[in-house]
Amino acid sequence: GAVVSQHPSRVICKSGTSVKIECRSLDFQATTMFWYRQFPKQSLMLMATSNEGSKATYEQGVEKDKFLINHASLTLSTLTVTSAHPEDSSFYICSASVETQYFGPGTRLLVL
Amino acid sequence: EDQVTQSPEALRLQEGESSSLNCSYTVSGLRGLFWYRQDPGKGPEFLFTLYSAGEEKEKERLKATLTKKESFLHITAPKPEDSATYLCAATGITQGGSEKLVFGKGTKLTVNP
C-alpha cells in the first residue's frame, strides 16, 4: 500500500518551454501533497504544500508564477515549470500524505 | 530555525560490520522523527516514524531509536543491498502553518561484500 507515482520520470526540454509533472497517489487518498526539489548530493528542499481544491502554499524563495501547482483531486497533483531555464534543471519529487509522507519516484528535468 | 543534521556524511562498512547513523535535530514542537532510505535516482522510501523519546522500532537489520535531541539508525550485520542514502527528517511548520518535513543531508552508506 501507499504507492505514489510520478510522470514523466525523465524529461528534456528547450529553454523557454513549459513542463508539467504529474503526481498520483495510487491506492489512497491524500489530503495533502508536497513538492520537493533535490540537487545532487543535497537534501530535499520543500517547494510547496498543496491541499485538494485550494491554492498551494509556497515556501519562502519559491516563485509562484514559475512553479504552478494544481491539486485537482485527492489523488492527483501537478507541477508545471513555466518558461523553464537551465537553472531549473533538477530532480523533482512529490509526496502524498496520510499521517506519513510517501514519496514518488521523482522526475529528472533537464533544460537545455 | 528548524534544523536536522546527520552524521557521518558517508560510511563504508564491510558486510556483517554493524554500525550506527546519527541524526540530531532542533525543531520546535516535534511531532515526529522519520527515517527514509533513498536509492540513486529514486524517491525516498519510508522506513520508520518515531514520536517520543525512548521509542524504538525495528525492521529486518535496522533499528531506529529516539532521544530528546537525536535519533540513531542502527544497522546490524549489514548486507550489500543495504547500500543507500539514509535520510532523517523531523516535522516542522510550513509558511502556511501546516506541518512539513525538514530533512537532513543524509548519510550515504556503502556495504562492501
Side-chain angles (χ1 to χ4, degrees):
Chain A
V3 178
V4 178
S5 70
Q6 268 183 255
H7 178 79
S9 58
R10 297 173 65 91
V11 57
I12 301 173
C13 68
K14 293 182 179 180
S15 184
T17 61
S18 294
V19 174
K20 180 184 282 189
I21 303 170
E22 287 190 354
C23 176
R24 293 180 184 271
S25 56
L26 298 184
D27 53 359
F28 66 102
Q29 292 185 327
T31 52
T32 306
M33 288 186 169
F34 301 84
W35 287 95
Y36 294 82
R37 187 172 178 176
Q38 187 177 34
F39 291 104
K41 298 185 179 181
Q42 296 294 316
S43 187
L44 281 75
M45 296 300 297
L46 179 66
M47 299 174 65
T49 304
S50 74
N51 293 291
E52 184 260 344
S54 62
K55 290 184 178 181
T57 302
Y58 292 81
E59 292 300 293
Q60 196 168 17
V62 177
E63 297 177 60
K64 301 178 183 181
D65 295 331
K66 168 167 271 302
F67 299 101
L68 300 180
I69 292 172
N70 182 273
H71 195 154
S73 74
L74 287 172
T75 60
L76 173 64
S77 178
T78 59
L79 168 69
T80 301
V81 183
T82 62
S83 186
H85 289 98
E87 57 265 31
D88 298 323
S89 298
S90 190
F91 191 51
Y92 293 87
I93 312 175
C94 72
S95 71
S97 177
V98 55
E99 295 190 357
T100 296
Q101 286 190 36
Y102 296 94
F103 287 83
T107 297
R108 177 75 60 190
L109 171 64
L110 177 61
V111 185
L112 302 176
Chain B
E1 182 183 343
D2 296 336
Q3 200 165 10
V4 175
T5 304
Q6 291 186 246
S7 63
E9 288 186 14
L11 180 63
R12 285 186 174 273
L13 299 174
Q14 288 299 121
E15 185 171 2
E17 180 186 1
S18 301
S19 187
S20 295
L21 312 182
N22 176 265
C23 169
S24 62
Y25 61 91
T26 52
V27 174
S28 55
L30 180 75
R31 296 291 298 275
L33 189 291
F34 300 79
W35 283 97
Y36 288 85
R37 168 188 171 134
Q38 186 175 26
D39 292 299
K42 297 188 177 181
E45 174 190 345
F46 172 71
L47 293 175
F48 304 109
T49 308
L50 301 167
Y51 293 104
S52 56
E55 189 175 1
E56 297 183 353
K57 288 192 176 174
E58 287 188 65
K59 180 181 179 181
E60 296 181 354
R61 295 176 292 282
L62 301 176
K63 183 170 80 172
T65 62
L66 181 66
T67 72
K68 287 186 179 179
K69 293 183 178 181
E70 55 192 351
S71 177
F72 293 92
L73 184 65
H74 308 276
I75 303 177
T76 303
K79 297 182 178 182
E81 53 261 42
D82 295 322
S83 297
T85 295
Y86 289 86
L87 299 172
C88 172
T91 46
I93 302 296
T94 69
Q95 290 283 99
S98 56
E99 288 188 1
K100 70 173 182 179
L101 290 179
V102 178
F103 279 89
K105 291 187 176 181
T107 293
K108 183 177 181 180
L109 174 66
T110 304
V111 182
N112 296 314

